[in-house]
Amino acid sequence: MTKNNRLTAPHREGIPVVTLIPGDGVGPEVISAALEVIKATGVKIDWDRQAAGAGALKRFGNPVPDELIKSLTRTGVALKGPLETRVGVGYRSINVFLRKTFDLYANLRPTLSFKGVHTPFRNVDLIVVRENTEDLYSGIEHEVAPGVVESIKVITARASRRIAKFAFEYARANHRKSVTAIHKANIMKLSDGLFLKCARAVARGYPEIRYQEQIVDAACMRLVTAPSSFDILLLENLYGDIVSDLCAGLVGGLGLVPGANYGDKGAIFEAVHGTAPDIAGKGLANPIAAILSGAMLLDYLSRPAAASKIRAATGAVLRSGRVLTRDLGGKASTIEMTAAVIRALVRKPA
Ligand code: ATP
C-alpha cells in the first residue's frame, strides 16, 4: 500500500467504522476467526455487518443489496469473506462488481513462506500486484452466431499506467528490489503490448528498482523452479488471478495468503481463496488467510503494531506445528487454530 491511497475511515466516537461482509461458503467461519483475533489485539473497530452474495440473494432476492453499497460508500473500507459466483450461469461476479463500482484497481497479494509449513521452497517472498478492473473481466461477451462467442479483452493505457505506478510506489515504499511485468505480448501484441509500454514508461521514473519482463507461460515455469528470481509481479487481471493461486501453492496453499483491493478512495480486504464449498460449514477451513487480511486492514487503519502482533502470532502457530488445520497436514478445526493464534498473540506483547 502506498501512503497516498491510505484512507481515513470514518469514526464513530473515536472508533473506525468498517463494513464487514462475512460472505458465502467458508466466509463466515474464517471472518469470525479474523474478528476474534483483531479483538484480541485490543484495537476497537465498529463493524457494520452486511450481507452479500448467495446468502443475500436467498434472503433479500439481491446478491448486492442497496444497504451493502450504502455501507461501503459510507465507510470506504471493508473486511470481506468470499462470495459465491456460479460458473457459467447466474449473476456476474459480485467480487468484480464491487471492485469496479468502488474503483479498487489494485489487488495486492503478499505471498510469504512460513517456517513450519513444508513446501518445496523456503523463503518465498513474492508480492502479486494484479490489475483489478479490466482485461477479460470486462464482462463483454456475446454470441456472434450460434456456436460462436466472443469475449472482449479490454486494456487501457490509463489502467495500465496506474497499476504499474502502484507496483513501483509499493516497491519504493517497502524497499523491494524489482518489478516484473508478466505478459503474452508475443501473441496479444496490441493489448499486452500496451500494458508493457505503459509499465516501461512508469519504470523509467523509478531507476532504483529493477524492471524486468517475462512471458506468462515462462514465468509460471520459473515461479515453480526458481521463485526467488522474482520479487514484485505486475500482472493484468486474468494472469494475476491465475498466478496468485500458483504463488499460494508455493507457500502451502490458499488457506495462507491474504489480499487487499486498493483504490484511491477505499479498500476491501479479503483472502485470495474462494468459498471452498467442499469444506464449508464443517469447521475445517484454515483461518490464517482471513486473519492476515485482517492484519492488512489494521495497517491500513494505521494500527501497524497490532498488525505486526497478528503476523508474529500466526507465524508462531505455524512454526510450532502443533495446531494446524487439515490443509496443512494437521487435525485442528478452524476454531482451534484461531484459539492458538489468540494464545500466541496474548503471550507476545508488541
Ligand atoms: P470459488 O468458486 O468460490 O472460487 P473454489 O472451490 O473454486 O470456490 P476455492 O474456494 O479457492 O475455489 O478453493 C480451492 C480449493 O482450496 C478447495 O479444495 C478448497 O477446499 C481449498 N481451500 C480454499 N480455501 C481454503 C481454506 N481457507 N482452508 C482450507 N482449504 C481451503
Side-chain angles (χ1 to χ4, degrees):
M1 187 185 55
T2 58
K3 279 201 189 87
N4 55 2
N5 70 358
R6 184 178 295 170
L7 160 128
T8 313
H11 285 60
R12 229 179 338 235
E13 290 164 17
I15 299 172
V17 186
V18 174
T19 302
L20 182 73
I21 308 166
D24 298 320
V26 294
E29 299 163 65
V30 297
I31 287 294
S32 122
L35 291 194
E36 281 184 44
V37 173
I38 290 173
K39 193 169 165 202
T41 66
V43 171
K44 289 200 169 49
I45 294 179
D46 185 348
W47 299 106
D48 186 14
R49 189 177 284 263
Q50 295 293 332
L57 182 65
K58 221 183 264 167
R59 273 168 59 202
F60 310 115
N62 181 0
V64 199
D66 290 348
E67 275 310 307
L68 167 71
I69 298 298
K70 280 189 206 148
S71 172
L72 285 168
T73 308
R74 239 180 1 251
T75 66
V77 57
L79 179 64
K80 172 183 162 301
L83 298 173
E84 185 183 313
T85 300
R86 298 252 162 80
V87 175
V89 291
Y91 50 82
R92 276 183 60 200
S93 164
I94 304 149
N95 299 313
V96 175
F97 174 83
L98 291 177
R99 290 169 194 165
K100 281 191 170 191
T101 304
F102 294 96
D103 202 19
L104 304 173
Y105 61 88
N107 187 194
L108 185 82
R109 294 170 161 181
T111 310
L112 274 171
S113 291
F114 294 95
K115 288 207 175 81
V117 177
H118 302 294
T119 52
F121 297 101
R122 284 188 203 163
N123 305 322
V124 172
D125 181 1
L126 297 165
I127 306 286
V128 176
V129 174
R130 166 188 175 195
E131 203 289 322
N132 239 352
T133 62
E134 52 180 34
D135 189 5
L136 280 161
Y137 286 64
S138 64
I140 309 169
E141 287 193 307
H142 48 254
E143 190 173 46
V144 181
V148 183
V149 296
E150 275 182 356
S151 188
I152 311 276
K153 169 164 171 156
V154 177
I155 298 291
T156 65
R158 175 177 172 267
S160 302
R161 270 196 301 265
R162 72 178 177 173
I163 194 65
K165 189 156 189 288
F166 180 93
F168 278 96
E169 282 292 316
Y170 183 91
R172 182 172 274 172
N174 294 280
H175 312 291
R176 308 288 302 206
K177 55 184 188 304
S178 77
V179 171
T180 307
I182 295 183
H183 65 95
K184 191 79 184 169
N186 52 334
I187 303 298
M188 280 161 279
K189 293 177 196 297
L190 278 184
S191 54
D192 286 15
L194 176 61
F195 185 77
L196 281 188
K197 197 170 140 200
C198 295
R200 282 174 201 157
V202 171
R204 284 197 281 278
Y206 301 81
E208 77 281 18
I209 295 152
R210 188 151 41 94
Y211 172 68
Q212 328 179 97
E213 293 172 356
Q214 183 128 55
I215 293 177
V216 62
D217 39 351
C220 288
M221 204 277 292
R222 203 157 143 228
L223 275 166
V224 297
T225 51
S228 59
S229 52
F230 296 97
D231 184 11
I232 294 180
L233 308 174
L234 168 63
L235 308 103
E236 292 168 6
N237 209 340
L238 181 62
Y239 306 146
D241 185 29
I242 297 165
V243 170
S244 295
D245 276 28
L246 184 153
C247 291
L250 288 175
V251 298
L254 287 166
L256 294 171
V257 184
N261 305 286
Y262 296 113
D264 289 332
K265 296 197 184 119
I268 295 182
F269 297 83
E270 61 181 334
V272 171
H273 67 74
T275 56
D278 49 336
I279 56 167
K282 297 181 181 162
L284 299 175
N286 183 343
I288 299 292
I291 291 171
L292 291 175
S293 303
M296 292 177 83
L297 165 71
L298 291 178
D299 273 331
Y300 188 75
L301 296 174
S302 302
R303 305 292 198 281
S308 301
K309 261 188 174 182
I310 293 180
R311 291 191 185 102
T314 51
V317 169
L318 293 168
R319 207 165 43 242
S320 94
R322 279 194 295 274
V323 188
L324 298 177
T325 42
R326 274 202 335 197
D327 55 312
L328 299 176
K331 291 201 172 100
S333 65
T334 311
I335 288 176
E336 287 162 345
M337 199 160 175
T338 307
V341 172
I342 292 172
R343 280 197 301 276
L345 193 148
V346 174
R347 266 200 310 271
K348 264 194 171 42

